[in-house]
């Protein structure tokens, strides 16, 4: 009895327009910055036209990437709301997989842009076992003070104890797969952002992700108790916006790129992986094959890294000791630099930078649930 579980940051699955770029150039699409725009009314018309034209190709590619996961349960990040998810599933994904993901769940989290985590599920697995939804619980209201997670480092960022921990949510969903229990924690941690006063964005925002990771561990240990959490079946799925390794890319296309694995001194992931609390099963792949995102700010700053995770409880990981996740890279733009031997066939109409399925790659694994 198997379950195919996947996670995917679908990158701004929105059902509304964002006109903030008229006043904030940092949020303005580069296409519109090429043109002289007389006033906000004209900007709004052009932004609507640009977004609609761009979205159709993008969502076809997003659907192709999801279809390639062959997932029974799919955790998503950057979903606007349930209406956006339903429209995408009906208008795009349905054409790829048919009547698949009829069960859809999301809640309004804390993100100021309104992007949330979501979970889609089939009514049964591909081998015919029923997927039964049991319950859902949002942890978005939790504050630093409630869990005693406020630190001096957070105070330096201007964050108060009464503020909410999760930048989006930790969405807890209980299901039964052929009668066997499974708890899924869908997350999307604080983004790294750009440098702040000379401090790299990853370092500047690390205290927030540390608190989010501690909160997730507290939620699981409170639910199952510290002594018994390891024996239960649970998975933490999502975009952690952090990494323990990078593949730094040097050189150029001619005479050739070079790829160097760099281990980081610390990561928010350490909180969830230390003491064997959970296992990052993507680390079962060779080091050069673990990446789920290509980052670049130009030729002087390029690396591949893993931001997207399927963390399994010790019990679930042991039961699936030989399971190795798949990373779907056919939706990556042509600008992404692949290590030797990893080139894949891109989906139709993929562009140099866009359109693309997402800036992230889906991660999927087949789990034995017997």
């Amino acid at each position: 009895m198997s379950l195919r579980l996947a996670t995917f940051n679908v990158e701004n699955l929105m059902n509304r327009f964002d006109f903030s770029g008229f006043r904030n150039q940092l949020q303005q699409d580069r296409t519109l910055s090429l043109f002289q725009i007389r006033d906000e009314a004209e900007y709004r018309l052009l932004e609507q036209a640009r977004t609609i034209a761009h979205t159709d190709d993008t969502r076809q590619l997003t659907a192709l990437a999801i279809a390639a996961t062959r997932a029974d349960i799919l955790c998503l990040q950057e979903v606007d709301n349930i209406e956006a998810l339903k429209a995408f599933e009906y208008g795009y994904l349905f054409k790829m997989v048919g009547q698949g993901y009829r069960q859809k769940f999301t809640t309004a989290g804390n993100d100021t842009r309104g992007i949330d985590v979501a979970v889609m599920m089939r009514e049964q697995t591909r081998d015919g076992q029923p997927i039964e939804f049991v319950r859902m619980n949002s942890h978005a209201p939790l504050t630093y003070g409630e869990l005693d997670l406020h630190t001096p480092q957070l105070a330096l960022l201007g964050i108060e104890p009464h503020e909410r921990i999760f930048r989006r949510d930790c969405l807890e969903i209980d299901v039964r797969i052929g009668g066997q229990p499974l708890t899924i924690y869908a997350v999307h941690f604080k983004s790294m952002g750009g440098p702040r006063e000379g401090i790299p964005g990853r370092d500047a925002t690390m205290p927030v992700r540390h608190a989010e990771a501690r909160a997730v561990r507290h939620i699981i240990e409170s639910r199952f108790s510290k002594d018994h959490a390891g024996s239960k079946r649970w998975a933490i799925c999502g975009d952690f916006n952090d990494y323990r390794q990078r593949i730094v890319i040097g050189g150029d296309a001619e005479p050739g790129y070079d790829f160097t694995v760099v281990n980081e001194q610390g990561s928010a992931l350490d909180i969830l992986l230390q003491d064997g609390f959970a296992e990052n099963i993507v680390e079962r792949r060779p080091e050069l094959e673990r990446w789920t995102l290509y980052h670049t700010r130009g030729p002087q700053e390029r690396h591949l890294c893993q931001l997207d995770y399927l963390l399994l409880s010790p019990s679930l990981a042991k039961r699936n000791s030989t399971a190795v996740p798949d990373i779907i890279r056919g939706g990556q733009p042509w600008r992404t630099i692949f290590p030797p031997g990893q080139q894949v066939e891109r989906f139709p109409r993929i562009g140099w930078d866009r359109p693309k399925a997402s800036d992230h790659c889906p991660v999927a694994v087949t789990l034995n649930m017997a």
Side-chain angles (χ1 to χ4, degrees):
M1 181 171 65
S2 66
L3 170 74
R4 186 76 170 169
L5 178 66
T7 185
F8 187 23
N9 182 326
V10 292
E11 192 180 13
N12 297 326
L13 179 56
M14 313 291 275
N15 66 351
R16 55 193 161 88
F17 299 105
D18 180 5
F19 301 118
S20 60
F22 179 74
R23 291 182 172 81
N24 184 350
Q25 289 190 343
L26 294 176
Q27 298 180 33
Q28 185 176 120
D29 185 83
R30 60 179 180 265
T31 305
L32 296 189
S33 68
L34 294 172
F35 297 91
Q36 292 184 349
I37 300 173
R38 292 188 298 270
D39 52 34
E40 186 170 2
E42 183 179 22
Y43 178 86
R44 285 174 172 261
L45 289 172
L46 292 171
E47 175 60 18
Q48 288 174 347
R50 183 202 67 80
T51 301
I52 292 170
H54 174 66
T55 298
D56 183 55
D57 275 343
T58 297
R59 292 312 161 201
Q60 289 185 63
L61 297 169
T62 303
L64 281 168
I66 290 175
T69 69
R70 311 186 316 280
D72 301 313
I73 298 180
L74 178 66
C75 299
L76 301 173
Q77 301 86 50
E78 297 200 13
V79 173
D80 201 356
N81 49 48
I82 197 69
E83 289 76 20
L85 189 56
K86 287 179 178 178
F88 166 70
E89 193 268 341
Y90 178 77
Y92 291 86
L93 191 55
F94 177 82
K95 296 179 183 299
M96 312 288 177
V97 301
Q99 296 181 4
Y101 302 100
R102 292 189 173 183
Q103 304 182 78
K104 305 176 185 67
F105 307 93
T106 188
T107 58
N110 302 319
D111 189 272
T112 55
R113 292 173 52 221
I115 53 173
D116 300 319
V117 296
V119 176
M120 295 198 304
M121 300 187 292
R122 298 180 183 274
E123 293 184 320
Q124 63 181 29
T125 64
R126 287 182 176 268
D127 61 6
Q129 297 298 322
I131 301 175
E132 176 190 357
F133 170 78
V134 178
R135 74 176 188 110
M136 177 176 73
N137 185 25
S138 167
H139 294 283
L142 283 176
T143 67
Y144 295 99
E146 284 181 80
L147 299 189
D148 195 26
L149 291 178
H150 196 260
T151 63
Q153 291 79 14
L154 290 167
L156 288 174
L157 294 175
I159 296 172
E160 301 289 341
H162 68 270
E163 294 185 50
R164 295 180 172 188
I165 300 169
F166 293 111
R167 279 303 185 263
R168 285 90 185 186
D169 196 355
C170 173
L171 186 61
E172 180 180 10
I173 292 184
D174 286 325
V175 297
R176 290 188 180 277
I177 312 299
Q180 296 293 335
L182 173 67
T183 303
I184 296 169
Y185 296 91
V187 301
H188 184 189
F189 284 2
K190 167 69 177 174
S191 61
M192 286 182 263
R196 294 163 174 78
E197 299 179 355
I199 302 174
R202 178 173 179 265
D203 295 339
T205 55
M206 186 68 77
V208 179
R209 288 188 298 279
H210 272 216
E212 289 179 303
R214 290 191 183 98
V216 172
R217 183 159 179 166
H218 171 87
I219 289 166
I220 295 172
E221 290 179 338
S222 297
R223 167 78 186 277
F224 300 113
S225 84
K226 287 186 179 181
D227 294 335
H228 297 97
S231 65
K232 304 299 181 180
R233 302 185 188 198
W234 48 263
I236 310 168
C237 310
D239 175 4
F240 284 66
N241 271 313
D242 207 350
Y243 45 79
R244 301 212 296 168
Q245 284 183 331
R246 287 181 299 146
I247 305 170
V248 177
I249 302 171
D252 209 335
E254 295 293 340
Y257 297 106
D258 57 81
F259 301 85
T260 305
V261 176
V262 176
N263 294 312
E264 300 297 326
Q265 291 186 346
S267 167
L269 272 299
D270 297 338
I271 295 164
L272 295 167
L273 300 178
Q274 66 190 9
D275 305 323
F277 177 73
E279 182 184 342
N280 173 20
I281 57 171
V282 171
E283 291 186 357
R284 296 175 180 178
R285 298 178 66 94
E287 288 181 322
L288 288 179
E289 297 180 9
R290 298 172 184 172
W291 63 274
T292 66
L293 180 131
Y294 169 62
H295 167 83
T296 180
R297 295 183 186 276
Q300 304 306 313
E301 185 178 341
R302 300 176 302 196
H303 69 250
L304 300 161
C305 62
Q306 182 190 358
L307 295 188
D308 306 274
Y309 295 83
L310 297 172
L311 305 186
L312 303 187
S313 70
S315 172
L316 196 56
K318 183 178 180 180
R319 182 178 295 274
N320 293 275
S321 59
T322 60
V324 178
D326 299 309
I327 301 174
I328 312 303
R329 299 195 174 111
Q332 283 288 291
W334 285 99
R335 65 179 175 84
T336 301
I337 301 171
F338 284 64
Q342 292 187 31
Q343 287 289 344
V344 297
E345 183 178 353
R346 286 350 193 259
F347 300 142
R349 295 175 66 84
I350 288 284
W352 179 82
D353 180 54
R354 60 187 185 188
K356 58 184 181 294
S358 170
D359 51 347
H360 293 248
C361 299
V363 182
V365 68
T366 300
L367 299 175
N368 173 20
M369 296 298 297

